Every structure is written in structure tokens, then in C-alpha cells.
Amino acid sequence: MNADQLCGLLAEPSRLRAYSAIVLGATTPEQIAGSAGLPAPVVTKALRRLTKGGLIAASRDGFSADESAFKDAVREGRPERVPLDPDPARDNVLKSFIRDGRLTHFPTFPEKLRVVLEYLVLSFETGRAYPETEVNEILNRWHPDHAALRRELIEARLLDRENSVYTRPR
């Protein structure tokens, strides 16, 4: 079940109240009606729909809720994460500092900073000359402190600078 289906099942107030009553421990239609404050025919209809939708199950012991449906719906709706680097160790470092295409914060460990800088420098073509304004624009897409990023890339020798013109060495 996906998130839309799950929300659709619980969008009707009577189904939401019936489901809530079951989660809170009601197992029989009478208990559910009493706990949810709903008339018996409304509860019967809600139980039928919730069972058909797979959100609750009926057994000899009464009704029970399938709370795992929520986790499953979230997992199903989550897009498959594409690794930022084929090396799992480097990818773990990158995913710790890069979210939604942005650098969240600067790594404090030099080894991790190097991994991040080596990834960010891929935004520049090798051998092409970039004026400082264009470098700032590209780095601003990653993080608002473009000056710090630019300085780190220069110090790591991942970008060269001469007369405010930057190149990525081969």
C-alpha cells in the first residue's frame, strides 16, 4: 500500500475513528463503536473498508491493526537513493554532508573534507578558465559561504588561481 492509498483509507472520519479505536485496543465491533462513538452500521462499513484495504485484519480474537502499513508506505514512497560515489566509504562521507544537492556543513576532519572537496570540484571542467564571479556562482549552489569553499579548493590544490581566473588542473 502506498501513502496515497493509506491516506485515502483514513481520510473518512468514521474509518479514522474506527482504526484509532482498534489501535487503542478495541477488538470487537461493539467495543469499536463504543470507543469511537459511532453507530454500529457506520462501524460495520468502516471495518469492511479497512479490512479490504489491508489496514486491519479480522481473526477469531477480533480486529487488529497493521501498524507496519505506515512504515511500508513511507519506504515505498521514498525514491531510491543514487550513490554520490561508487566507493561506499566515500559515499557515506558525502551523504553525511550533502543533502538535496547542497553542502550542509563543512567537515572538520581533513580526510572527510578532502572527499567532499574532490566531489565538489567535479562541478568544474578540467582545463577551462573560470572568472571568479562564475566560480562564486557555482560554489553558491553548494553552500552560501562560497569564499570559504573557494579557499579550501585552492589550498587542496583542486583549483588553481592566477589573476582571479580559476582552472581545474588535469
Side-chain angles (χ1 to χ4, degrees):
M1 170 179 340
N2 65 37
D4 289 342
Q5 293 166 326
L6 182 62
C7 288
L9 277 173
L10 297 176
E12 173 62 41
S14 61
R15 290 194 299 260
L16 179 61
R17 289 171 69 177
Y19 181 76
S20 299
I22 294 168
V23 169
L24 293 172
T27 57
T28 66
E30 296 78 22
Q31 290 173 341
I32 295 165
S35 180
L38 296 170
V42 173
V43 169
T44 301
K45 186 176 176 183
L47 293 176
R48 195 175 312 120
R49 181 74 171 89
L50 291 170
T51 303
K52 184 179 176 186
L55 201 50
I56 63 171
S59 71
R60 191 165 21 115
D61 299 326
F63 290 95
S64 61
D66 178 14
E67 291 108 356
S68 67
F70 292 93
K71 286 182 182 177
D72 295 342
V74 168
R75 285 186 191 113
E76 184 178 316
R78 214 177 265 160
E80 191 65 33
R81 186 186 156 298
V82 177
L84 299 175
D85 193 285
D87 177 356
R90 291 174 61 88
D91 186 57
N92 281 336
V93 170
L94 292 172
K95 75 179 181 184
S96 296
F97 296 98
I98 297 174
R99 295 255 192 294
D100 301 322
R102 302 275 298 164
L103 179 64
T104 58
H105 58 286
F106 287 74
T108 54
F109 290 101
E111 312 81 43
K112 291 181 180 184
L113 178 60
R114 180 71 187 197
V115 169
V116 169
L117 293 174
E118 287 173 353
Y119 182 76
L120 298 183
V121 80
L122 298 175
S123 301
F124 299 91
E125 295 175 36
T126 55
R128 180 177 165 221
Y130 292 88
E132 188 167 305
T133 55
E134 191 175 354
V135 171
N136 293 345
E137 184 181 305
I138 291 168
L139 294 177
N140 264 324
R141 293 181 207 147
W142 288 107
H143 193 275
D145 192 352
H146 63 268
L149 270 179
R150 191 180 62 228
R151 185 174 48 256
E152 292 289 352
L153 287 165
I154 297 294
E155 288 176 9
R157 298 179 188 254
L158 295 170
L159 281 183
D160 292 331
R161 175 180 53 203
E162 188 173 322
N163 298 325
S164 296
V165 176
Y166 296 78
T167 55
R168 179 177 159 202
R170 296 190 186 272

